[in-house]
Each structure stands twice: as C-alpha cells, then as structure tokens.
Amino acid sequence: MWFRKSNIITVALLILFVYISMRLTEFDLTKFRDFRNMIDFLSQWFPMDFSKLPGMLEDTFETLAMAFLGSFLALLIVLPISFIAARNTSSSKFLFHFSRISLSFVRSIPEIVFGLILLTTLGLGPFPAVIAIMFHNVGVLGKLISELIEAADPGPQEAMRAVGAKKWLANLFSILPQIWPNVLSQFFYRFEVAIRTSLILGFIGGGGIGQRLFNDFKTFQYSSVSLDVLIIMIMVIIIDFLASFVRNRII
Amino acid sequence: MIMVENLSVHYPDTKVEALTNINVSFNKGDFVCVLGKSGAGKSTFIRCINGLQKPTGGEIYIDDQRVSTLKEEQLRKVRREMGMVFQHFSLIPRLSVQQNILTGTFGYRSSFKNMIGYFTANELELAKRVISSVGLTEMANRRVEYLSGGQKQRVGIARALMQQPKILLGDEPVASLDPGTSNHIFTLLKEMHERLKLLTIINVHDVDLAKRYATRIIAFKNGHLIYDGSPEDFNDKEYYETYESEQQNSFFSM
C-alpha cells in the first residue's frame, strides 16, 4: 500500500552507501572497548586552571573580532556584487554569468586553504584569518543574496521603473527593503559560522582562542584546555542567543 | 495625446497574440475604462503605453514622441509624466506611507539626492498636500504593510500624483479590493482626473464601475479591439460580445 518498488530500491541503495562509507571510514564500534582511556584522559582536564583567564578572554574577543570583521566586510563587498549576479537586475548577460562563476569559484575554496596561503604569505596572526573568512563569505553571501534578489516581488520594481527612476536606483529601492530582513538573517548565520571557522584558523596560526586551545593542547596543559573549551562553548551560546534576538527584532 | 498605431504584441513563449493591430487614440480629459476578459490583452495594452512591455509591432506616440525608439533616458522622461496604479499596489515594503509617496518624485531628481533622501521644502509640501488629498494624513508615518488594501491603493494613487502626471494609467487597480472600497478608489481617481485635467486609462473587470465613471469605454477580446465608444452605448449586446461568446485562446493566456 505505502511502499512501491522504487522505494525498496532506494532503501537498498542507502544501505549499500552506509556500508561503503563505514568501510572507508573504518567505522568500528568495538573500538570503544578502550573507553577507560578516555576517562583517564578527561580526568586530566580537571580541575580547571583559571590562572590564564584574562589572556583567554582577550583571545576570545580577538576571535569574535576576526569573525565579525571577516563576515561584515564580506557583506559590504558583496551587496553591490549581488545585484550584478542576479538574473533580474544584472546589466548584461555576460556580467551575470561572469560574476556567478567568480562567486562559485571563490566559494569552492575553503577558508582553511585561503588561511594556509595567506598565513604563509602575510605572516601569522589574525589579519590573514580575517581576509580568509572575508573571501569565503563573499562567495557564500553573494550566492545567497543574489538568489534573494531573484526571488524578490517584481511589482515594486515595475512601479519604480514606471515613476521614471533610473534602472539601478529603481532596483535598489524596490528590492533592498524587501530582502533586508533575510540579508541580515543570512549575515548573522554566516557570522556564527565564521566564529567556528576562526577557531579552526587559529589552529594553523590565525590567532585568537583557537590558537590558544591548540597550543595548550599540544603542550599537554589539559587543565587550561578545559577552560578554553568552556569559554568557547559559552561564547557560541551567547552569540547564538544574541543573533536570534537581533533577527527577531528586525523581522 | 496618445496615438496607438497597428500595435501588436506576442509573447515569444506562447503562440497567442496578446494584441493584434490595435489602432486607437486618446485625448486629454478622456477617462477611459478598458474592458475585457482575463487574457484579452488589457494589461499588455496598458503596459505598452509606458514602455513596461515592448511591442512586437506598431507604434505608440505620446505627444508625438515615438515610444519604441526612445533611449532609456528619454523613456524615463516620458514615464515620469505618467502615473501608474497597480493591482497589487506594488508599494515598497518597510517604507512608510510618506516615504513611498516621495518615491514618485524620483524621475525628476538626481540619483544622489534620491539615495541620501534629501527632499526640498517644495517636494515635502507637495507630498503633504497629496497625502491629505487621498485622506492618509494620520497614516503618513506608518509602514505600508500595516495598511488595509484600500489604504494601500490610496498610497499607490498618491505616489502617481507625486509625479505631477499628465496621464494616469491603472492596471486593474481595484481588482483585489471589495466593492465598497473599489467605489471609493474610483471616486478618488475621478476626482483627481478632473482636478488635474488628466488623461486616465484604467483596466477594470467590473462593467458597472466602468459605466458609472468612464467617459469612454474600449473593450478587448483575444487581443483585438472590439469596442470603442461611449459608456451609454456599451449594453447587453456589447457585454455579451466581450465576455460571453466563444472561449478560444483564453485557456493559455494570462
């Protein structure tokens, strides 16, 4: 009644993919036999060592600044580009395709690759990390915002053309207010993602709390590692909370 | 004032001719209602007049200017003297009533002034008068999405009036409003038409409204102009011609 032949094939294929993926990832639950190792290891994390708290907080703000600056600069850069990369507002077919392809090219390069290149060429520290986050987010936000522009209600655009406004101004005024809540919502989401990214970029020398976590871990200072992790968790939760608050206020 | 010669439009994706060989002209002071079934070509016709739709054949002259050969810049100058009112109001969301109405001046001002939102005392004064003439003074600072349908259409009309137009176009301006509100909107349109000595061309579904307000009625059927005359002469026979007889082509058209 509810199942068709094609459903059975789908399920069979899924089971096959799960099996192949398990083989490729050496997925084996019996490895948890040595679970005691983990308890031994984690017991070294406590008690937490609060002596380096001020430095950790400073690094946390550095991480936040990296994420904010990277994603916000990306938003500023990408807003005008998005209008070129949207089918309905692009001034020419060529520019539309060119900008779309450029955006997906930029997007296809992970931040960590930008990070590795920039940290090597510009030197260690948060600045290359900011640029890496910015580049990647130009690609991501460009795609998201240009799709928002394409989905905007054409009514106001026609109305602005009909009053005799210049085409670009008509597009700007009729589309931006429509998509603004969604743009901000996407921006906040990318900001949250950028925080996690900047932690990873810290591991390769990008500074911030990520780098501190990595250093503490590599030098076996597990009682500091635990506090680093705690601070990161609190930071992410607070930002999540703030972002949803701001989003609700705007929409 | 407007002269339409052999106007034809066909949309490339359908084989249906939206408009075929339309010849008609309008003068200052006409209050024209355009009748016809959905898909008869009314909307296409109105949109051709201000260049939102490009004709595939024929010509439209507005004050002896050929619309189809105009460059974007000249087209803007023609458009800014033509107000247009839309079925779904087409207001800019998140902007206030006053802000929406001020966008009606955009065709006359520099892009820089429009961007930063600098308006002269004269423009603000005009906006104030226009807002009060459509009865929205108390709503001036409210965001348009919080207004009722009738109020939204008043904003639409006010935006068109801000253009200080010579011609007023309406693409089904009352089709999404209830009968009472439709009547109010038509009364307002007629009042503005007379006060500003406009040429007004409006698409309507409601034949009674058209007969009550229009000084002239034209009717389309399957892209052909089948009636052009006084409202008094649009009677049962013409009504049947326009709306009831054979169904051809109406299935795929808009």
Side-chain angles (χ1 to χ4, degrees):
Chain A
M1 193 83 218
W2 287 283
F3 301 107
R4 276 173 290 148
K5 210 183 256 172
S6 61
N7 295 134
I8 297 166
I9 297 171
T10 313
V11 171
L13 277 174
L14 273 175
I15 291 172
L16 182 70
F17 290 150
V18 169
Y19 174 74
I20 294 172
S21 306
M22 279 177 152
R23 288 295 298 272
L24 288 173
T25 57
E26 297 165 26
F27 191 89
D28 182 4
L29 289 174
T30 57
K31 285 177 183 166
F32 276 103
R33 265 180 320 196
D34 306 325
F35 191 65
R36 284 209 37 204
N37 284 351
M38 195 177 310
I39 295 170
D40 285 346
F41 174 58
L42 284 178
S43 65
Q44 294 176 44
W45 285 33
F46 298 97
M48 288 182 186
D49 177 5
F50 283 89
S51 62
K52 288 188 229 152
L53 187 63
M56 288 174 182
L57 288 177
E58 203 175 297
D59 285 351
T60 306
F61 285 115
E62 189 173 288
T63 296
L64 281 175
M66 277 155 67
F68 172 72
L69 205 56
S71 48
F72 188 68
L73 290 179
L75 179 69
L76 288 186
I77 292 171
V78 92
L79 268 177
I81 297 176
S82 300
F83 279 86
I84 299 169
R87 198 179 296 275
N88 52 341
T89 55
S90 195
S91 47
S92 78
K93 268 237 156 67
F94 170 76
L95 278 176
F96 163 70
H97 287 294
F98 178 75
S99 52
R100 268 292 164 95
I101 290 167
S102 317
L103 285 175
S104 49
F105 177 72
V106 173
R107 192 169 60 246
S108 69
I109 305 170
E111 286 109 329
I112 190 100
V113 175
F114 276 128
L116 286 168
I117 296 168
L118 292 168
L119 284 162
T120 317
T121 50
L122 302 179
L124 298 181
F127 175 66
V130 170
I131 304 292
I133 291 171
M134 188 192 81
F135 265 124
H136 186 73
N137 277 307
V138 163
V140 176
L141 286 172
K143 179 189 161 69
L144 294 171
I145 296 174
S146 56
E147 279 170 2
L148 288 174
I149 292 172
E150 286 176 354
D153 175 12
Q157 300 168 46
E158 285 199 331
M160 285 296 96
R161 303 279 300 284
V163 301
K166 284 211 174 77
K167 203 173 172 188
W168 68 266
L169 195 79
N171 287 334
L172 185 72
F173 265 79
S174 55
I175 293 173
L176 203 56
Q178 278 190 61
I179 64 170
W180 192 238
N182 287 325
V183 169
L184 286 184
S185 174
Q186 301 288 8
F187 166 72
F188 278 113
Y189 175 65
R190 291 312 303 174
F191 174 49
E192 286 171 45
V193 174
I195 291 171
R196 290 187 277 276
T197 310
S198 56
L199 295 176
I200 306 294
L201 290 174
F203 285 15
I204 58 169
I209 189 82
Q211 181 160 1
R212 182 180 283 270
L213 173 70
F214 191 67
N215 290 342
D216 287 344
F217 196 86
K218 284 289 158 191
T219 50
F220 311 109
Q221 301 180 51
Y222 296 127
S223 51
S224 297
V225 167
S226 57
L227 188 56
D228 290 333
V229 172
L230 182 69
I231 289 174
I232 289 170
M233 285 163 65
I234 292 172
M235 169 178 73
V236 170
I237 290 169
I238 290 175
I239 294 299
D240 256 27
F241 181 76
L242 274 180
S244 67
F245 174 76
V246 174
R247 250 180 305 206
N248 289 337
R249 283 300 299 272
I250 290 161
I251 301 164
Chain B
M1 207 168 181
I2 297 182
M3 216 167 75
V4 178
E5 268 182 16
N6 300 323
L7 177 71
S8 295
V9 175
H10 65 259
Y11 294 111
D13 35 338
T14 59
K15 291 198 178 98
V16 183
E17 288 263 316
L19 288 174
T20 314
N21 260 335
I22 308 297
N23 285 289
V24 66
S25 60
F26 306 106
N27 299 311
K28 194 172 180 157
D30 284 352
F31 191 101
V32 185
C33 281
V34 186
L35 296 175
K37 283 196 291 203
S38 301
K42 310 188 291 288
S43 192
T44 307
F45 178 72
I46 290 277
R47 293 160 54 84
C48 280
I49 293 175
N50 66 356
L52 285 178
Q53 172 73 46
K54 287 250 177 302
T56 39
E59 273 306 334
I60 293 173
Y61 297 89
I62 293 172
D63 290 334
D64 300 321
Q65 288 194 84
R66 277 171 70 164
V67 176
S68 69
T69 55
L70 293 180
K71 295 260 159 44
E72 177 76 17
E73 271 310 290
Q74 296 160 299
L75 185 59
R76 290 205 308 112
K77 292 204 171 92
V78 172
R79 276 179 178 158
R80 69 187 188 187
E81 297 184 335
M82 260 192 280
M84 184 156 178
V85 185
F86 298 83
Q87 178 180 354
H88 299 293
F89 323 122
S90 296
L91 305 176
I92 299 177
R94 304 178 68 79
L95 296 191
S96 71
V97 169
Q98 190 200 26
Q99 288 171 324
N100 260 284
I101 288 169
L102 283 167
T103 61
T105 62
F106 274 15
Y108 295 95
R109 294 151 37 87
S110 78
S111 298
F112 178 71
K113 280 185 187 162
N114 288 334
M115 275 288 281
I116 62 166
Y118 171 79
F119 291 92
T120 64
N122 279 341
E123 286 160 341
L124 291 171
E125 181 56 36
L126 177 66
K128 215 169 156 187
R129 281 212 310 274
V130 166
I131 291 170
S132 98
S133 72
V134 298
L136 288 174
T137 305
E138 273 125 72
M139 311 276 178
N141 293 315
R142 197 169 296 183
R143 273 211 219 160
V144 289
E145 56 266 44
Y146 301 130
L147 304 182
S148 70
Q151 290 168 336
K152 282 182 185 168
Q153 198 56 294
R154 284 166 189 276
V155 179
I157 293 168
R159 174 173 64 191
L161 296 178
M162 272 312 274
Q163 295 173 238
Q164 302 190 285
K166 293 180 185 158
I167 299 168
L168 186 62
L169 306 173
D171 190 6
E172 303 273 8
V174 297
S176 22
L177 301 175
D178 63 75
T181 313
S182 301
N183 231 325
H184 288 307
I185 293 293
F186 257 85
T187 311
L188 180 64
L189 287 168
K190 186 76 183 230
E191 189 190 317
M192 296 304 160
H193 169 80
E194 274 160 10
R195 195 196 301 171
L196 303 169
K197 299 181 175 52
L198 304 172
L199 159 60
T200 303
I201 308 172
I202 295 178
N203 288 340
V204 245
H205 266 303
D206 188 334
V207 180
D208 290 334
L209 270 183
K211 290 189 68 158
R212 206 169 326 147
Y213 290 96
T215 62
R216 179 176 168 192
I217 285 180
I218 63 173
F220 286 101
K221 181 174 195 178
N222 297 334
H224 295 272
L225 186 67
I226 57 162
Y227 181 86
D228 180 358
S230 73
E232 291 78 32
D233 295 337
F234 193 91
N235 290 317
D236 291 351
K237 179 174 157 286
E238 289 76 16
Y239 182 91
Y240 183 81
E241 285 275 299
T242 310
Y243 289 101
E244 306 278 350
S245 56
E246 94 255 48
Q247 289 282 314
Q248 64 175 62
N249 283 348
S250 63
F251 187 77
F252 288 108
S253 45
M254 318 205 298

